Amino acid sequence: MSTSGHAEENSGEASGRQLQRNLTNRHIQLIAIGGAIGTGLFMGSGKTIATAGPSILLVYLIIGSALFLFMRAMGEILLSDRQYGTFADIIRHFLGPSMGFVMGWTYWLCWVVTGIADVVAITGYVHFWWPDLPSWIPVVATALLLFALNAMTVKAFGETEFWFAMIKIVAIIALIVVGVIMVAIGMQDSNGTSAAVSNLWSHGGLFQTGFTGFLGGFQIAIFAFVGIELVGTTVAETADPDTTLPKAINSIPVRVVLFYICSLAVIMMVTPWDQIDKTQSPFVTMFSLTGLGMAASLVNLVVLTSAASSANSGIYSTSRMLFSLSLQGDAAPFFSRLSKRHVPQNALFLSCVFLLSAAILLAFGDSILSVFTVVTAMSATLFMVVWVLVVIAYLFYVRKYPDKHQDSAFKLPGGVFSAWLFIIFIVLMVVVLALESESLKGLLMSAAWMVIITVVGVVRRHRALDRRGRAPISA
């Protein structure tokens, strides 16, 4: 979320006003925890379970382990020098201003695309109650709501996100508790299937869908983790990053086990994986089995809130990133103007306008789930680009500052070997995304973006160098 880093802090000189710094520790901690619970968990888990079967638990464990290495690499660099406020500073320092430009605009697009995916998910949740409602209505309503929420003070944003995150956390814990009770009493569904731990392996085994199905589980599962880097960048701006950053990063494995593995394991214990409807959120489906009339509607409201929370954070991030790019001369000065409430309203407006493209995608897509798959594949690919750039910067950091690396109190376990292991993992994820037609579309769109923005970045850099070369030398 704090992608603007030092640029924001210096905005007072640039614009006469500063962005407000009113997010308290309470806000930051809940936003960080809530950021570990993505829309991909609520909306996409039905499809990942149907694709990979019970092996989806191993999928989440592998992704979580890989991203833990990424976060440790980023954490080591951030703690090596207080000049680094965010990963944007890291990339600019080690990979140069051209890559900084590429990363800044790519990260902006990351959250725009993620916001579109969240809006698509919200539309699907709204159709749970009103299946005949035109899709453009929830899209426009969501864009207007997000603009209104973010146009207020940053403290209001923090408070909104605090309660959004709290709802998500309580919902998952409630699901786990209710699921364990169902398993304990051996509750039966309409098909006469009893809830039991053995449902994890008694319906064809852990790898019933084969190795191909196992690989397919990564396609949407990795989208559930987008934004995990916000934990590090947000905590890095606190007064005592040497304590808070390691604590936040080291808690990632616990969050992965609790939020992803435990919740999905409980779902598949209650309803065998081969009976789960991939077009529906399994969270809603499981609570509907309780027999309580309002249970399914209540959980649908919770998962809708979760998607709104993710979109809200995304819009906040895109507006601040665009604001930062403007201050650095990488975007029009128009986007660095602040409103009376110290909000980059022009940047915010543009980001919200892009959300409306969800209506076009829904109008021409085969289904909400197919549109969601394409958009999440593009989002996940763009985020993977940002993650890889940070890890590549880590390799430069180890080579350039071997003493800092040696003296670090928060070293990446395995060092350079782990960094290369992560890069190989990301390459394999790109291959996996290319195996399925819908995710391949998103992958190709991401590749097109990277080619275009890299060319623009290199051309801008050469023009800047040419202007400096032609400038008269002062005495």
Side-chain angles (χ1 to χ4, degrees):
M1 267 186 347
S2 341
T3 47
S4 36
H6 298 312
E8 289 185 17
E9 295 174 352
N10 297 329
S11 62
E13 291 79 16
S15 63
R17 298 186 211 141
Q18 288 182 318
L19 294 173
Q20 293 180 327
R21 294 286 187 180
N22 290 334
L23 292 179
T24 65
N25 184 62
R26 172 175 67 92
H27 295 137
I28 290 174
Q29 292 303 321
L30 264 293
I31 290 170
I33 294 173
I37 312 170
T39 306
L41 175 63
F42 292 112
M43 179 71 175
S45 54
K47 183 173 182 179
T48 55
I49 290 173
T51 302
S55 66
I56 191 63
L57 302 179
L58 184 57
V59 168
Y60 278 105
L61 185 61
I62 292 172
I63 296 174
S65 299
L67 289 179
F68 174 66
L69 295 178
F70 154 71
M71 290 296 292
R72 285 294 298 258
M74 183 172 71
E76 181 181 337
I77 305 179
L78 286 172
L79 294 178
S80 70
D81 195 321
R82 291 297 178 89
Q83 71 168 313
Y84 305 129
T86 69
F87 58 84
D89 299 328
I90 293 172
I91 292 174
R92 280 187 176 276
H93 183 191
F94 290 102
L95 304 184
S98 293
M99 288 311 299
F101 171 85
V102 170
M103 192 287 307
W105 277 106
T106 298
Y107 196 68
W108 173 82
L109 186 63
C110 279
W111 278 110
V112 167
V113 175
T114 301
I116 292 172
D118 291 326
V119 172
V120 170
I122 288 170
T123 303
Y125 297 140
V126 170
H127 282 171
F128 176 82
W129 293 303
W130 302 289
D132 298 325
L133 186 71
S135 295
W136 67 267
I137 294 179
V139 170
V140 173
T142 301
L144 291 174
L145 175 63
L146 292 176
F147 179 82
L149 288 174
N150 282 272
M152 296 187 289
T153 62
V154 69
K155 186 174 183 180
F157 161 81
E159 200 64 33
T160 302
E161 275 304 290
F162 173 86
W163 290 108
F164 274 166
M166 185 68 75
I167 290 171
K168 287 193 284 189
I169 293 167
V170 170
I172 290 182
I173 293 175
L175 175 130
I176 294 173
V177 171
V178 170
V180 169
I181 293 173
M182 287 180 173
V183 171
I185 65 176
M187 185 174 182
Q188 291 188 343
D189 60 19
S190 58
N191 297 322
T193 304
S194 298
V197 177
S198 60
N199 284 336
L200 288 175
W201 60 81
S202 62
H203 288 256
L206 293 176
F207 293 91
Q208 174 60 23
T209 60
F211 187 66
T212 303
F214 172 68
L215 292 179
F218 285 90
Q219 291 168 350
I220 288 186
I222 198 165
F223 173 73
F225 289 89
V226 301
I228 194 171
E229 75 289 334
L230 290 178
V231 177
T233 55
T234 302
V235 178
E237 292 185 353
T238 61
D240 187 18
D242 292 310
T243 300
T244 53
L245 184 57
K247 183 177 179 181
I249 292 175
N250 287 335
S251 66
I252 289 174
V254 177
R255 293 173 186 169
V256 170
V257 171
L258 176 63
F259 296 142
Y260 294 97
I261 297 177
C262 285
S263 61
L264 294 184
V266 165
I267 286 172
M268 289 185 289
M269 290 177 195
V270 173
T271 304
W273 71 271
D274 53 354
Q275 296 178 19
I276 292 176
D277 184 356
K278 68 177 182 179
T279 64
Q280 300 291 329
S281 169
F283 287 79
V284 177
T285 304
M286 201 196 87
F287 273 98
S288 66
L289 295 175
T290 61
L292 300 176
M294 292 296 293
S297 288
L298 180 61
V299 176
N300 193 67
L301 179 62
V302 168
V303 295
L304 189 153
T305 302
S306 172
S309 167
S310 177
N312 194 34
S313 290
I315 287 300
Y316 175 88
S317 299
T318 56
S319 62
R320 275 20 180 219
M321 176 56 80
L322 194 51
F323 172 81
S324 176
L325 286 168
S326 178
L327 289 181
Q328 294 161 359
D330 290 336
F334 175 77
F335 296 115
S336 64
R337 297 175 188 169
L338 298 177
S339 69
K340 293 180 180 179
R341 295 183 177 182
H342 303 268
V343 171
Q345 197 158 297
N346 295 333
L348 172 64
F349 178 76
L350 178 67
S351 298
C352 287
V353 167
F354 271 91
L355 292 184
L356 299 177
S357 61
I360 301 173
L361 292 174
L362 287 168
F364 292 97
D366 296 331
S367 67
I368 287 178
L369 186 60
S370 66
V371 171
F372 185 77
T373 303
V374 172
V375 177
T376 53
M378 183 176 182
S379 173
T381 305
L382 291 172
F383 270 100
M384 286 191 290
V385 169
V386 173
W387 298 339
V388 164
L389 287 177
V390 172
V391 175
I392 291 174
Y394 173 83
L395 295 174
F396 278 84
Y397 152 79
V398 172
R399 179 181 298 179
K400 188 174 182 178
Y401 302 114
D403 293 338
K404 286 186 178 181
H405 170 62
Q406 189 62 36
D407 297 337
S408 174
F410 194 59
K411 285 190 183 74
L412 164 64
V416 171
F417 174 78
S418 293
W420 278 110
L421 197 63
F422 177 78
I423 292 172
I424 292 170
F425 168 77
I426 293 299
V427 171
L428 291 175
M429 287 302 96
V430 172
V431 173
V432 168
L433 287 171
L435 295 177
E436 206 269 334
S437 60
E438 290 177 341
S439 58
L440 178 60
K441 295 176 185 176
L443 183 63
L444 293 175
M445 287 189 287
S446 299
W449 163 264
M450 290 308 302
V451 170
I452 293 170
I453 199 65
T454 300
V455 170
V456 171
V458 171
V459 170
R460 289 183 77 263
R461 180 64 177 164
H462 281 302
R463 287 181 176 177
L465 292 175
D466 287 343
R467 284 195 295 269
R468 290 177 187 174
R470 292 194 301 266
I473 301 175
S474 57

